Amino acid sequence: MTLSRKDFQALLIVICFGFWIENLVQGADDYYVYSPVCQMPAVNPFTWDTMSNFHRKTLRHCHNDSDMVTSEFDFETHQYRLHVHEHLAKPIMNRKGNATLECEYQEISRDNSDQKPDNAYNQLRRRPIEQHQFVPNNTDYMITSCYVRDVTKHRELLQQDAISFIEDRLPKEKVKDFVKDESEVHKPSVLIMGLDSTSRINLRRAMPSVYKFVRQPGWFEMQGYNKVGDNTFPNLLAALTGDSEKGVGDYCDVTKPGCLDSLNFIWKRFKKANYTTAFAEDCSSISTFNYLKPGFVKQPTDYYLRPLLFAIEKQFKVTNDFGFAYCVGRHLSFSYVWDFGQQFIDRFLGRSPMFGFLWSNSFTHDYYEGATALDNLLWKYLKSFEESNLFQKSIVILMSDHGHRYNTLRRASTGYFEERMPMMFIYLPPWFRRKYPHLASNLGKNQNRLSSNYDVYMTLQHLLQLDSKSVDEFPDNLRARQCKSCQSLFFELPFNRTCQMAGIEEKWCCCQPTETITNSPHVSTIAEAIVQRMNEHLISHNLSDLCHNFTLDYVEKADRKTILSNGLRPADKNEQVYIIVFETVPKNPIFEATVRWNSRTQRLLHFDVEELSRLTSYKNDANCINRKNAKKYCICKDSLSRPS
């Protein structure tokens, strides 16, 4: 058969197009995101420099005795009952002769009269526990104590514990209306579950059981999810309020009581839509909205665990592991939060639309290997939530704020991506996928598009107006205040999306490929200029009396970014973006700076010392100051006489 010229040209175009598609697909396999303006390389979690020093940890239990006082929800009266398990004390009572068991409780409540109610609580007088007694409907938390009293009236404490209650205070008519409407109009419940400092990469490495769970049908992994800030606060702020840490400063001072209350936390809108809301976070000393901040003046959600955790961390024996409170009394700090979540699900699923936010720091905040000890326990909670039918009715998000930021994992070859790419999994229940197939399809497409915390905020907004056809239908007051171009993940994200469009600053952006140039002669000049700027910053912020000046020791690594065709190329061809990892003295902290450098003028451009990353811990270096960002770059003079 002889081909005409036109046929030959058409065949050639088809062949060339086939090669282009094949190369694109092959390229996409090696990348989380692959577009002309964003190329995030896929990271192997099991590289030698991460696995050579990687050890699985064992879950350590906090007690080996049984609970003497337990609570049970009575579904007929919609109240809790307390049960005293006297048989557990029989052996001790028999040894002491005619001894008796006495159990008491003290109610704990939030002290709303305090200037900083998040850091205060009320503790009422002791009351005896009667067997099978009802818990008053206005009781949220209690501390229980059981004693053995001998014939001399001497009391020996046998066990002390803490119990939280998710009391059912819903009016019967409200429940009846919800059940009636539920058969016609599904109002999706939402549960957000978070682990601090857990990258999508480390989840695969450290938590295979949990990872297998979120690989089931209905789960969508946002593989192009890129953090927007350094630590927990700015990243959760963006996801829950649509604000940035800098942006909030235009409205109020987050270190002053009342500021956080004034922000557009997404649970406020869910509450206005008649949702029942809950918030729980462990490790009260480093809680997201309380570490070096006053927390909330008004209780943020209907059910709020902080008063109990704050009280028992003050009163019970606290055992640290993985850097922070591990056991608080007889239970894991982690378990208080997730048992609270289980109660919330059991109490309201099918009775009211729910919005819940559960956050845990205890295992993963400081030690990336801590996740290995948590794997099976978190899997058990997920299975328990599944047995409670959470996944039949609700949209569930499993997320993190960022990856590991310090030491071993951060300094591995993949550490740059580990830190900047937190896990983000979104689950859509079967009814939602059937009713809104176009939204589920868009979420599927967006798995390999660049996305950010601001998009998550817009997604949560979208769940309260599911009939919206485009982001244009969202009024301005519902947009992410610091990223007006961000949008719900249920709308298809642009294929050629840049970090700027997603509200991600250049320092955190994982889109641009890099070239390592550590041995280039001008690298030390750039590093010296960075260190000089750091010292100038100490002086300008009145920190030079407290903090020691820096001297450059050596440059560990230097990368130069390749600016892709995104229209953001600098006007001056001599301007380049560099990522410099360097060590200074004293005390040998290691920093990472993302800077713009003009090789013609030999000057740094737009470098903010507050945005430095510190790759080694500052725990023993910065106790002389309470400014969170400044702790990264302050070596306290009074720390020099102490070992690191």
Side-chain angles (χ1 to χ4, degrees):
M1 183 181 72
T2 304
L3 292 176
S4 68
R5 184 177 176 182
K6 283 187 177 181
D7 289 337
F8 180 78
Q9 287 176 333
L11 181 61
L12 187 61
I13 290 171
V14 169
I15 293 171
C16 291
F17 184 73
F19 275 121
W20 182 81
I21 289 292
E22 183 179 356
N23 288 333
L24 182 64
V25 170
Q26 286 175 349
D29 288 341
D30 297 329
Y31 289 82
Y32 298 139
V33 176
Y34 191 80
S35 78
V37 296
C38 183
Q39 294 171 12
M40 287 184 176
V43 175
N44 176 9
F46 307 104
T47 55
W48 71 268
D49 55 347
T50 56
M51 299 306 296
S52 59
N53 220 12
F54 183 78
H55 306 285
R56 300 199 73 82
K57 305 295 183 180
T58 303
L59 179 71
R60 184 168 56 84
H61 297 283
C62 299
H63 69 87
N64 54 15
D65 58 342
S66 299
D67 298 342
M68 283 194 170
V69 179
T70 58
S71 66
E72 178 187 21
F73 190 74
D74 187 315
F75 285 92
E76 288 187 11
T77 62
H78 287 277
Q79 278 186 279
Y80 283 92
R81 286 181 182 271
L82 294 180
H83 302 293
V84 178
H85 303 280
E86 190 172 341
H87 67 281
L88 297 174
K90 286 289 187 185
I92 298 172
M93 292 164 63
N94 291 337
R95 283 202 309 270
K96 289 181 175 287
N98 294 320
T100 57
L101 179 68
E102 296 178 352
C103 291
E104 304 167 342
Y105 76 89
Q106 289 178 278
E107 184 181 336
I108 301 293
S109 63
R110 193 170 192 261
D111 185 358
N112 291 313
S113 65
D114 194 271
Q115 187 180 5
K116 298 178 181 178
D118 262 2
N119 296 330
Y121 61 93
N122 292 314
Q123 187 162 339
L124 302 187
R125 66 180 179 85
R126 296 176 182 272
R127 295 176 180 272
I129 298 176
E130 305 294 337
Q131 184 64 284
H132 309 313
Q133 79 172 67
F134 283 115
V135 176
N137 191 260
N138 61 351
T139 301
D140 290 318
Y141 335 96
M142 66 172 56
I143 290 176
T144 63
S145 305
C146 287
Y147 303 85
V148 167
R149 181 195 288 270
D150 61 23
V151 291
T152 67
K153 297 189 177 180
H154 174 264
R155 297 207 312 175
E156 177 187 346
L157 179 64
L158 290 186
Q159 191 180 97
Q160 198 171 39
D161 218 339
I163 304 176
S164 63
F165 305 99
I166 300 281
E167 297 280 12
D168 186 352
R169 301 179 183 126
L170 292 176
K172 289 182 180 179
E173 288 303 312
K174 182 177 179 180
V175 175
K176 193 181 295 183
D177 290 343
F178 173 74
V179 173
K180 179 184 174 184
D181 293 343
E182 185 72 351
S183 59
E184 301 169 11
V185 182
H186 279 292
K187 211 171 187 179
S189 285
V190 180
L191 184 66
I192 302 174
M193 306 178 294
L195 299 180
D196 193 282
S197 304
T198 305
S199 68
R200 60 182 306 276
I201 305 162
N202 197 43
L203 180 76
R204 288 158 166 75
R205 182 189 300 120
M207 306 184 81
S209 298
V210 172
Y211 179 59
K212 184 177 179 182
F213 188 93
V214 295
R215 295 280 290 172
Q216 297 179 99
W219 286 96
F220 297 79
E221 181 180 16
M222 299 295 106
Q223 295 189 31
Y225 187 65
N226 197 129
K227 75 173 190 174
V228 299
D230 185 24
N231 48 42
T232 307
F233 182 73
N235 287 299
L236 287 192
L237 194 70
L240 296 175
T241 72
D243 266 311
S244 71
E245 190 169 12
K246 284 182 181 177
V248 166
D250 295 335
Y251 302 95
C252 61
D253 182 350
V254 294
T255 66
K256 304 295 184 186
C259 177
L260 291 172
D261 299 75
S262 70
L263 303 182
N264 295 323
F265 278 95
I266 191 65
W267 52 62
K268 291 183 179 180
R269 190 175 176 216
F270 277 91
K271 183 61 185 170
K272 283 182 180 177
N274 287 321
Y275 277 65
T276 303
T277 59
F279 174 23
E281 180 177 7
D282 61 11
C283 300
S284 67
S285 64
I286 59 163
S287 293
T288 305
F289 304 109
N290 303 95
Y291 177 58
L292 302 180
K293 297 176 182 66
F296 298 96
V297 175
K298 183 180 178 183
Q299 181 166 308
T301 51
D302 296 319
Y303 299 91
Y304 186 45
L305 189 60
R306 181 171 174 83
L308 180 66
L309 285 181
F310 186 79
I312 62 178
E313 284 188 22
K314 297 288 185 187
Q315 297 187 42
F316 289 3
K317 179 183 177 182
V318 176
T319 306
N320 287 350
D321 205 352
F322 303 119
F324 290 98
Y326 182 81
C327 293
V328 182
R330 299 176 59 253
H331 301 285
L332 290 168
S333 180
F334 176 89
S335 290
Y336 286 105
V337 170
W338 298 76
D339 288 343
F340 184 81
Q342 181 70 68
Q343 284 181 291
F344 185 60
I345 294 165
D346 292 343
R347 201 64 57 247
F348 296 117
L349 194 66
R351 291 173 56 78
S352 167
M354 308 182 309
F355 177 89
F357 183 70
L358 309 178
W359 191 264
S360 178
N361 306 292
S362 52
F363 279 82
T364 57
H365 187 280
D366 270 13
Y367 290 85
Y368 67 94
E369 291 173 323
T372 64
L374 182 60
D375 184 29
N376 194 49
L377 178 61
L378 180 55
W379 176 83
K380 286 180 179 177
Y381 275 108
L382 291 172
K383 291 296 290 183
S384 179
F385 292 175
E386 184 177 55
E387 289 164 8
S388 300
N389 288 324
L390 175 70
F391 296 102
Q392 287 300 312
K393 298 177 179 291
S394 312
I395 289 172
V396 181
I397 296 175
L398 177 64
M399 65 173 289
S400 187
D401 46 358
H402 50 75
H404 195 67
R405 297 189 296 137
Y406 302 121
N407 300 333
T408 308
L409 192 58
R410 178 57 181 87
R411 296 181 64 192
S413 59
T414 58
Y416 184 85
F417 297 100
E418 291 271 5
E419 180 193 8
R420 287 160 168 77
M421 301 188 71
M423 66 172 178
M424 173 57 69
F425 295 86
I426 301 174
Y427 175 81
L428 303 182
W431 71 264
F432 189 96
R433 283 174 271 153
R434 287 193 300 269
K435 186 171 184 179
Y436 302 104
H438 59 296
L439 301 185
S441 175
N442 287 338
L443 187 62
K445 292 175 185 175
N446 291 336
Q447 288 183 107
N448 294 105
R449 306 270 171 100
L450 176 65
S451 59
S452 77
N453 312 58
Y454 297 113
D455 299 318
V456 172
Y457 176 73
M458 292 303 299
T459 305
L460 295 172
Q461 293 281 14
H462 195 170
L463 289 173
L464 292 171
Q465 48 186 79
L466 285 167
D467 292 333
S468 301
K469 297 292 189 291
S470 76
V471 72
D472 295 333
E473 295 184 25
F474 286 74
D476 192 63
N477 67 312
L478 298 183
R479 302 284 188 97
R481 194 150 55 180
Q482 301 302 325
C483 184
K484 297 298 185 181
S485 59
C486 288
Q487 63 183 63
S488 165
L489 295 171
F490 292 132
F491 296 134
E492 186 176 348
L493 296 172
F495 174 67
N496 61 340
R497 198 180 200 206
T498 64
C499 280
Q500 187 181 48
M501 294 163 67
I504 304 163
E505 293 181 1
E506 185 172 66
K507 174 178 174 56
W508 309 119
C509 180
C510 291
C511 280
Q512 312 293 354
T514 59
E515 173 192 6
T516 299
I517 55 157
T518 308
N519 296 322
S520 295
H522 62 284
V523 166
S524 60
T525 306
I526 301 173
E528 289 282 7
I530 295 169
V531 173
Q532 181 182 343
R533 189 71 63 86
M534 292 166 66
N535 289 330
E536 291 169 355
H537 187 82
L538 292 177
I539 295 170
S540 64
H541 284 70
N542 300 316
L543 294 172
S544 55
D545 288 341
L546 292 172
C547 309
H548 203 286
N549 261 17
F550 294 99
T551 302
L552 178 68
D553 191 5
Y554 72 97
V555 175
E556 184 175 293
K557 188 183 181 186
D559 289 344
R560 182 170 55 211
K561 283 192 174 186
T562 302
I563 306 299
L564 297 175
S565 56
N566 59 2
L568 297 177
R569 289 181 177 277
D572 190 333
K573 64 180 181 180
N574 296 298
E575 186 181 322
Q576 298 279 357
V577 178
Y578 296 88
I579 304 166
I580 312 287
V581 178
F582 59 98
E583 183 174 303
T584 63
V585 290
K587 303 200 80 172
N588 307 107
I590 296 177
F591 297 100
E592 179 187 88
T594 301
V595 298
R596 287 181 177 268
W597 176 261
N598 190 303
S599 58
R600 177 175 51 81
T601 63
Q602 297 285 288
R603 288 176 61 85
L604 286 175
L605 295 95
H606 316 301
F607 172 54
D608 186 350
V609 173
E610 298 281 330
E611 294 180 354
L612 269 176
S613 289
R614 173 127 173 207
L615 308 192
T616 49
S617 176
Y618 55 74
K619 187 173 286 187
N620 298 318
D621 297 344
N623 293 325
C624 63
I625 56 172
N626 285 325
R627 285 175 45 198
K628 184 170 175 58
N629 277 350
K631 282 180 174 289
K632 289 186 301 183
Y633 56 79
C634 177
I635 304 295
C636 290
K637 290 180 178 179
D638 65 8
S639 74
L640 297 180
S641 59
R642 299 194 303 268
S644 296

